[in-house]
Amino acid sequence: MYGWRGRLGLIVPSSNTTMEMELHDYLPEGVSLHTARVPLRNVTEEELVKMNALAVEGAKLLRDAGVELILYGCTSGSFIGGKDYEKRLEMEIENEVNVPVVSTSTAVIEALKMLDAREILVVTPYTDEINSREKEFLEANEFTVLDIRGLGLEDNQAIGKLEPYTAYRLAKASFTDEAEAIFISCTNWRTFEIIEALEMDLGVPVVTSNQASLWLALREMDVMERIPELGKLFTEY
């Protein structure tokens, strides 16, 4: 049986071509991944809000697969409404399907807290508008955003085509000694290949949307797995 150790349900934007692949490549033996999609083509506030309105329908389909946990795999979609928006979204879905739910934004917050990182650098593929919303969200959760830099992209397919080295180079260019961690935001941006190298080169923990999502989902499913390639979060916590 697939998923004898745990079945993880994942809701992703319809244009996301990265998150499933990264999670599949690093899932521990015995954990299976089952995906539903909700419509999104461009990372704008209007489209994100419309997408979130359909999250419950995606969760109902995942419930049919007998998943033990549902991960809402969109960073911007789960912070776009400000502080506690991700918690309200999780509760709305959970109340409808009676399956535990966590979102990427919750995972990022929990990961940064676990790493005891309060002063952070943030790099994203997003526009300035979405970056402003993300900065507000993180600061409302008591993090100090030393700097946030984006690539100005709205087209989510274009984000999915970015090579991992773009995240590495932007993070390195943004780095200052005051930073206690670097957060690379967006579940459609490939990052898994560069986490270990970036931590080694800069000497601080690296948190990415997909890494934090996988970390929290596995913890919630009581699957404790060390994955050295995914950085300090997966080797020490």
Side-chain angles (χ1 to χ4, degrees), residues 174-195:
S174 305
F175 186 69
T176 62
D177 291 338
E178 293 80 12
E180 296 173 338
I182 293 175
F183 168 40
I184 304 175
S185 181
C186 188
T187 61
N188 203 24
W189 199 2
R190 281 176 59 192
T191 60
F192 278 13
E193 296 98 320
I194 57 92
I195 293 172

Side-chain angles (χ1 to χ4, degrees), residues 8-11 19 69-74 78 86-87 89-91 93-94 99-107 110 212-221:
L8 174 60
L10 173 66
I11 299 175
M19 190 172 194
L69 179 77
I70 293 174
L71 170 60
Y72 193 64
C74 183
S78 54
E86 82 288 0
K87 295 183 178 65
L89 183 61
E90 291 164 2
M91 190 61 65
I93 300 170
E94 195 168 314
V99 176
V101 178
V102 296
S103 69
T104 294
S105 289
T106 293
E110 291 301 314
S213 295
L214 179 59
W215 172 79
L216 184 60
L218 292 177
R219 285 173 63 92
E220 292 293 312
M221 297 169 69

